[in-house]
Amino acid sequence: MTSATDIITYIGIPLAVLGVLPILYTFLSSLLTTYHIRKTLTRNSLPPTTRSSLISGIVEVALPRCTLTPLDRTCADFWQLNPRPSTLRGGTWTIFKWNRMVTGQRLYRVQYSDELQEPQAEIDFEELLAFLLDRGAVPDVKGLHMLRVSGLWTPTGTSLLLSPDTTESVLRVSMPDDSDGILSLAIHWRKSFDHRDPNSLPPSWIRLSDPVPIPRTTEVPDLTSNENLPVYEEKASVHPFTSLRFHLGHRNNTYTITSLSWESLDHTPLAFSAPAPHLTAPIPSLWFTSTAIALTRTKNLPLWTSTIPPSLRPLATHASIPCGVLVLLGLIPSSEAPEWETTYDPLEDVHKQQAKSMALSRAMTAERALSGEMLRAAQEKRRADESWGFHEDFMKRLRRDKERENLREREALGSGAVKGEIVAERAVRWFVAEGGMEAGAGLAEIVEEWLLGMVREEAQAVAGCEILERWRVWSERGGLNKEDLGALKKEKRAFCYAACVMGLLANACAKEESSVALDMQECTRVWKNVRVG
């Protein structure tokens, strides 16, 4: 007969062993998970700080949370990729090398090793965009606009920056894991995307190229004032192509030149910087920076971080130059312009001269019938009348020509307006024919030459900006007046430069990229810091 001892021995003990097996499995699983986690952390250069509960199987991992800043672009590591990026989920920011500062810890409780992830790193959004743009990334127009409009409700996976060949996304919106209401982004980059080097211009920098004569002295002058500028040969045998680079800063909704220097043939900055204090004034600074931004659009080198001021867009696209004014300035022949002026009989003076000749012939015929004192008196009277009539006719012609000139100017000011692109085209023709520019020079080349002239000569900067400001004023009031016309006649070359600037601005405003900088600036204003994971 089976006793209680047998029941406990054959049934109770196996059941007790079966009850302990899950605990043993959890214990062994926890040890194994901890081992895999510590191995993964060591492989990804993270501190293997773990704490596990052998009964519950939960492993606690404390990982550092970092704040990132890009390296200096002169550092070699700035252009290198991290040879050992993190293989953990959320570690896309480890593709590049950064300046890291540990700002805290993120505690993860995981049960399996594949649940482990890298803490998101915090970085200034503007610095992140500048870094990736400097590496060659291209903004995604639709993605940036969606982020500006939707904010945190932007769909996951929305691309913000594209690869240099625009085939892949290199910066996109990611899942908001422990982001605490901060925008979460993910980075994707490959070695094949790197085509830039330290000689490439960083964002917000512009380069202007121009042949500059060789200075007479090889010594590096002290260029702390305009008086110490080197004197250049008028006719140098060699003209090495140098360039000018300058940086645009954005302050109080305006762009200013924060740095400016000449470059050598290999684009290496020279030891001295060209002084241009006159470009820091509000009006020259506005026109110089706006024109430079438009020039980058035209040369297909868009300055993604800057945009043409909204106040200048309608000014550049609005037709505000009457065709009659262009005829008076000699930019358009009368035969090519629409009819706008009063026409006169070209034989009017011939008819008057013929009438005078016939009257003179009749007077001389009548004198033949006279003799003595009467003949002499008649001849003297005829000569006096002829002299007075000549003077009177001369004064009448002067008054008539003056009246017709004033009438022609009034009619020119009231004639139909011409679009800025047409005015710019005529100005380019004038520069090639009479302005000293080489045949084949285009709008961009002329404007680039004008910008460099503004840096070198304050007089050219003042004259050009004065015409551009006049252009703005007469566009706002609805037309030119005689004072404006007189200024254009006096400064014809400056007006042609201004027309080229307006044509360039109009071309730039028509491009889609004009809105990208606005979206980017608004996004960086709203999202000061973002988290990358």
Side-chain angles (χ1 to χ4, degrees):
M1 184 176 179
T2 304
S3 65
T5 304
D6 295 334
I7 294 175
I8 294 174
T9 302
Y10 297 106
I11 297 178
I13 292 178
L15 289 177
V17 172
L18 289 176
V20 174
L21 284 179
I23 299 176
L24 294 176
Y25 173 80
T26 303
F27 175 80
L28 296 176
S29 175
S30 178
L31 291 177
L32 186 61
T33 300
T34 302
Y35 169 76
H36 284 304
I37 288 176
R38 293 177 67 88
K39 184 178 179 181
T40 302
L41 294 177
T42 303
R43 186 171 59 249
N44 289 281
S45 302
L46 293 172
T49 305
T50 61
R51 183 174 55 195
S52 59
S53 174
L54 300 180
I55 302 300
S56 63
I58 301 297
V59 180
E60 294 183 351
V61 183
L63 297 179
R65 185 187 292 278
C66 301
T67 297
L68 308 178
T69 56
L71 299 172
D72 190 276
R73 72 188 312 270
T74 59
C75 178
D77 288 341
F78 181 91
W79 305 98
Q80 302 296 325
L81 296 180
N82 187 357
R84 297 179 59 186
S86 175
T87 58
L88 296 176
R89 180 166 55 93
T92 59
W93 57 271
T94 61
I95 296 176
F96 299 107
K97 297 181 179 181
W98 308 90
N99 288 322
R100 304 186 189 183
M101 182 176 66
V102 178
T103 57
Q105 282 190 338
R106 176 73 170 89
L107 183 63
Y108 291 97
R109 291 182 173 87
V110 298
Q111 194 168 6
Y112 303 99
S113 58
D114 56 0
E115 295 178 355
L116 188 63
Q117 66 179 26
E118 185 100 10
Q120 291 182 328
E122 192 164 320
I123 186 173
D124 185 277
F125 194 18
E126 186 173 357
E127 291 184 355
L128 175 62
L129 292 177
F131 171 75
L132 293 177
L133 291 174
D134 201 2
R135 296 294 295 256
V138 179
D140 189 317
V141 179
K142 296 182 179 179
L144 286 171
H145 185 70
M146 182 174 293
L147 177 62
R148 177 184 179 183
V149 173
S150 303
L152 283 177
W153 288 269
T154 303
T156 300
T158 300
S159 175
L160 302 183
L161 296 181
L162 300 174
S163 59
D165 55 4
T166 68
T167 58
E168 301 181 41
S169 173
V170 298
L171 184 67
R172 66 183 186 275
V173 179
S174 66
M175 292 293 294
D177 295 331
D178 68 356
S179 60
D180 302 327
I182 301 176
L183 182 65
S184 295
L185 304 175
I187 299 176
H188 167 68
W189 196 268
R190 292 207 306 259
K191 182 66 177 178
S192 59
F193 295 161
D194 287 325
H195 300 289
R196 289 168 58 86
D197 53 44
N199 290 328
S200 303
L201 281 180
S204 300
W205 283 81
I206 301 177
R207 175 179 288 130
L208 303 176
S209 300
D210 181 62
V212 179
I214 300 177
R216 292 179 181 149
T217 176
T218 57
E219 297 180 0
V220 178
D222 179 17
L223 296 180
T224 56
S225 64
N226 288 329
E227 289 76 15
N228 294 327
L229 281 171
V231 180
Y232 292 95
E233 293 285 356
E234 292 292 337
K235 296 181 179 179
S237 58
V238 181
H239 291 267
F241 279 87
T242 62
S243 55
L244 173 72
R245 67 161 59 180
F246 58 93
H247 177 262
L248 292 184
H250 188 256
R251 300 176 183 174
N252 300 325
N253 297 325
T254 59
Y255 295 101
T256 57
I257 304 172
T258 58
S259 179
L260 184 149
S261 63
W262 293 98
E263 296 177 326
S264 60
L265 188 62
D266 59 351
H267 298 315
T268 302
L270 300 180
F272 57 88
S273 296
H278 54 276
L279 295 181
T280 59
I283 293 178
S285 177
L286 169 67
W287 288 109
F288 184 87
T289 56
S290 302
T291 306
I293 294 171
L295 183 63
T296 60
R297 299 270 192 271
T298 306
K299 296 172 69 174
N300 294 324
L301 298 171
L303 196 65
W304 303 115
T305 55
S306 304
T307 183
I308 299 173
S311 60
L312 298 185
R313 293 179 188 175
L315 177 63
T317 56
H318 179 64
S320 56
I321 301 295
C323 64
V325 172
L326 299 179
V327 174
L328 295 182
L329 294 175
L331 299 180
I332 295 181
S334 300
S335 57
E336 297 183 13
E339 185 176 350
W340 59 273
E341 60 180 326
T342 303
T343 56
Y344 302 96
D345 185 5
L347 301 177
E348 179 181 355
D349 291 337
V350 176
H351 295 327
K352 290 182 179 180
Q353 187 64 32
Q354 288 179 348
K356 282 184 175 183
S357 299
M358 294 177 64
L360 178 62
S361 178
R362 287 192 297 269
M364 294 178 69
T365 302
E367 289 175 0
R368 295 191 187 100
L370 303 176
S371 61
E373 291 294 332
M374 295 181 63
L375 176 60
R376 188 169 57 255
Q379 289 177 344
E380 290 178 356
K381 182 177 182 303
R382 177 177 55 81
R383 293 190 186 98
D385 291 343
E386 186 178 349
S387 177
W388 176 256
F390 178 80
H391 175 72
E392 190 68 19
D393 291 342
F394 177 74
M395 298 303 296
K396 285 182 179 179
R397 282 197 303 271
L398 287 180
R399 288 192 296 270
R400 183 198 65 184
D401 292 343
K402 185 65 175 178
E403 290 175 358
R404 288 183 178 180
E405 182 182 356
N406 292 335
L407 176 61
R408 191 166 186 253
E409 288 183 352
R410 291 195 299 271
E411 290 176 339
L413 294 174
S415 59
V418 180
K419 290 185 177 181
E421 293 88 339
I422 299 178
V423 182
E425 178 187 351
R426 294 294 175 170
V428 170
R429 293 186 185 181
W430 181 87
F431 274 114
V432 173
E434 305 178 30
M437 299 296 293
E438 296 181 358
L443 190 64
E445 289 78 7
I446 294 175
V447 172
E448 193 166 7
E449 191 265 345
W450 178 72
L451 290 173
L452 287 163
M454 287 185 67
V455 177
R456 292 196 182 103
E457 301 179 12
E458 183 176 358
Q460 180 169 333
V462 172
C465 293
E466 181 181 352
I467 296 297
L468 289 168
E469 281 300 303
R470 282 185 176 273
W471 197 314
R472 185 213 292 262
V473 172
W474 76 55
S475 297
E476 292 175 352
R477 71 165 176 250
L480 290 80
N481 55 28
K482 294 190 66 175
E483 182 182 355
D484 297 327
L485 181 58
L488 298 186
K489 290 181 177 180
K490 183 179 179 181
E491 297 287 349
K492 184 176 179 179
R493 187 179 187 87
F495 169 72
C496 290
Y497 276 130
C500 292
V501 169
M502 287 299 178
L504 196 73
L505 289 173
N507 294 338
C509 291
K511 292 183 175 291
E512 184 182 17
E513 291 87 358
S514 299
S515 62
V516 176
L518 293 176
D519 293 336
M520 192 175 297
Q521 290 173 6
E522 183 63 19
C523 290
T524 55
R525 186 189 65 83
V526 174
W527 308 106
K528 179 62 178 174
N529 294 322
V530 295
R531 288 188 177 172
V532 186

